[in-house]
Amino acid sequence: MNRHISDAKVFKALCDEHRLMILELLRSGEKCACVLLEELDIAQSTLSHHMKILCESGIIDSRNEGKWTYYFISEEGSQSAKSLLADLTSVKEIQPSRGVRTCP
Amino acid sequence: MNRHISDAKVFKALCDEHRLMILELLRSGEKCACVLLEELDIAQSTLSHHMKILCESGIIDSRNEGKWTYYFISEEGSQSAKSLLADLTSVKEIQPSRGVRTCP
DNA sequence: TGAACATATCGAATAAATTCGATATGAGGA
DNA sequence: TCCTCATATCGAATTTATTCGATATGTTCA
């Protein structure tokens, strides 16, 4: 079940402020790269790099329409991110009661 | 509401594999630093650095007992992380229907 | 086909994070 | 009080991420 070994990827996608801002922009519906570029004050190649990371994390998906690429929040991807976070922070059933010393 | 500006911090705490492993270890109950250290094959100063980041993110909390420090998953902190992720990936009510072109 | 535009990739510069050993701090017990 | 042990902090080395300009790819339209 070693999910945590490689699943830092999902959270890595979320730990950059530009990428969080992109996510925020996409909450109001899909946008093409050129619109995102106008809002973000970063170089086009930088935006492309961020979109690649977001897409590879699964949280964002894209579709092509002619020469444009539209990005949108993936329902499936964000659901699995939420499940992963819930798992990571959930305390297991069988555990020593708090306050029990595990040190000598 | 500009939460995303500074709230990369919570996710930054989750984007390192050692820190995810620490979280996994704490799922079975609080542990003192020396126990974590045995499991992780990293230097003591490195562990201390990771624990600081995790605690500052709010996801993990600590308590002192004598010379030991015990770390545990914070119910409150992980709840707010989950809320934040849910917000970030939730699509807003009013939005243009998908497929509407926002580019010329 | 060729010009114009949107996006992706490459390579290099800069910035940020991780890691370690050395050392400091602070608590407990002799 | 002094010694020992647990954890934190410091400073430097290394690794990883971000960023940009330049260029490549691929699409549309004349």
Side-chain angles (χ1 to χ4, degrees):
Chain A
M1 218 216 246
N2 275 330
R3 315 230 309 302
H4 54 288
I5 298 301
S6 68
D7 284 345
K9 186 191 258 192
V10 187
F11 299 114
K12 278 198 175 121
L14 296 172
C15 74
D16 175 89
E17 299 190 349
H18 282 142
R19 292 196 287 270
L20 287 189
M21 207 166 301
I22 290 165
L23 215 42
E24 178 66 28
L25 290 168
L26 295 183
R27 288 188 58 208
S28 60
E30 65 172 15
K31 306 236 172 348
C32 91
C34 59
V35 169
L36 295 173
L37 195 55
E38 281 173 4
E39 304 280 345
L40 285 170
D41 200 40
I42 56 178
Q44 180 269 323
S45 56
T46 302
L47 175 64
S48 186
H49 171 243
H50 285 312
M51 298 321 294
K52 186 176 186 179
I53 289 174
L54 282 165
C55 287
E56 286 179 347
S57 82
I59 287 192
I60 281 184
D61 203 352
S62 68
R63 67 183 181 88
N64 293 322
E65 188 173 316
K67 47 181 177 176
W68 292 283
T69 303
Y70 288 84
Y71 296 95
F72 53 94
I73 294 174
S74 162
E75 194 62 44
E76 190 182 338
S78 51
Q79 188 50 57
S80 80
K82 285 184 277 187
S83 300
L84 180 57
L85 180 55
D87 281 5
L88 281 171
T89 59
S90 73
V91 176
K92 287 176 183 168
E93 300 294 318
I94 302 130
Q95 56 169 308
S97 57
R98 269 193 65 198
V100 167
R101 289 176 45 164
T102 50
C103 282
Chain B
M1 216 214 251
N2 273 331
R3 314 227 314 298
H4 54 289
I5 297 302
S6 68
D7 283 347
K9 186 192 261 193
V10 188
F11 298 114
K12 276 196 176 120
L14 296 173
C15 74
D16 174 272
E17 301 191 348
H18 281 141
R19 291 195 289 270
L20 287 190
M21 210 164 300
I22 289 164
L23 214 43
E24 178 66 27
L25 289 169
L26 295 182
R27 289 187 58 206
S28 59
E30 68 171 12
K31 304 234 172 352
C32 91
C34 59
V35 169
L36 295 173
L37 194 55
E38 282 173 4
E39 304 281 344
L40 283 169
D41 200 38
I42 56 178
Q44 181 271 325
S45 57
T46 303
L47 176 64
S48 186
H49 171 244
H50 285 311
M51 298 320 293
K52 185 176 188 182
I53 289 174
L54 282 165
C55 287
E56 285 178 349
S57 82
I59 287 192
I60 281 183
D61 203 353
S62 69
R63 67 183 182 87
N64 292 321
E65 189 174 316
K67 49 182 176 176
W68 293 283
T69 304
Y70 288 85
Y71 297 97
F72 53 94
I73 294 175
S74 161
E75 195 62 45
E76 190 181 340
S78 52
Q79 188 51 56
S80 82
K82 285 185 275 187
S83 300
L84 180 56
L85 180 55
D87 283 4
L88 281 170
T89 59
S90 73
V91 176
K92 286 175 181 166
E93 301 292 320
I94 301 128
Q95 57 169 305
S97 57
R98 270 194 65 199
V100 167
R101 288 173 50 162
T102 50
C103 283

